[in-house]
Amino acid sequence: MWDVKAVSAAVLSALKVYRLSEADARDVCQDAWLELLRAPGALRDEAKLRAWLTTTARRRALRMITRNRRETPRPLPPPDTTPEAEVVRAERDRALWAAVDLLPDLHRRLMWLLAHRPELSYAQLAGELGISPASVGRVRRRCLDRLRRALEKGGWA
């Protein structure tokens, strides 16, 4: 019978010229053995087992190298620009603004200003809303609490 370890070591040694990773070289060697088992008539002379496996492994190594060159991975898009993320973002935005529409007028105007004019100071927000600057923080907190409860009620955590 064959000395499987010795034959595999010889095949792995022959694959070093292809500069495969150790894992890839072992996969190629294993694939060569599997090919032998799947096609029992492929090896006509058992004395040539080592040569047959080495040749088969070399051919597989070349195919692997060629395939890896063609399969150059493209960088993935940033996680927030996938089509799925865009759909979720659009649905979230729709739910958010639908919830804002249910708020009292003062809160709706405050949310619009916070979203579309983030550069405004509390004093400027107060001027736009017609309230005292000291009230902006409390109104903002009540508004965000109402908005959070409305969104949670709608299934948005």
Side-chain angles (χ1 to χ4, degrees):
M1 202 62 180
W2 306 314
D3 183 359
V4 175
K5 285 186 180 183
V7 173
S8 291
V11 171
L12 289 170
S13 178
L15 292 174
K16 287 184 181 186
V17 297
Y18 296 100
R19 297 182 184 175
L20 300 173
S21 70
E22 184 178 343
D24 285 343
R26 290 187 181 282
D27 285 347
V28 167
C29 182
Q30 183 178 8
D31 286 346
W33 278 102
L34 286 173
E35 190 170 327
L36 175 66
L37 293 174
R38 288 186 185 128
L43 181 64
R44 295 186 184 102
D45 182 2
E46 287 188 24
K48 295 184 180 179
L49 171 69
R50 189 170 163 174
W52 188 93
L53 284 172
T54 301
T55 301
T56 303
R58 284 180 174 158
R59 288 177 183 154
R60 287 190 172 274
L62 287 172
R63 273 185 257 157
M64 178 182 280
I65 291 167
T66 304
R67 184 184 68 232
N68 288 346
R69 276 192 201 137
R70 277 184 277 168
E71 293 178 6
T72 304
R74 288 182 287 153
L76 293 174
D80 60 338
T81 61
T82 63
E84 296 85 1
E86 291 296 324
V87 169
V88 170
R89 183 181 301 110
E91 183 63 22
R92 182 204 58 210
D93 290 352
R94 187 204 57 74
L96 173 67
W97 289 106
V100 168
D101 285 343
L102 300 175
L103 295 173
D105 182 55
L106 178 66
H107 292 180
R108 267 197 322 273
R109 290 188 302 147
L110 176 60
M111 285 285 83
W112 190 91
L113 289 169
L114 291 172
H116 297 288
R117 299 193 54 203
E119 73 282 356
L120 295 178
S121 68
Y122 270 28
Q124 292 168 321
L125 284 170
E128 291 282 336
L129 297 171
I131 61 175
S132 107
S135 300
V136 172
R138 287 191 304 271
V139 171
R140 180 179 169 272
R141 171 65 13 224
R142 278 192 298 250
C143 175
L144 290 173
D145 285 344
R146 277 188 172 183
L147 190 56
R148 180 183 42 78
R149 285 192 302 271
L151 289 170
E152 286 173 349
K153 190 175 180 181
W156 293 90

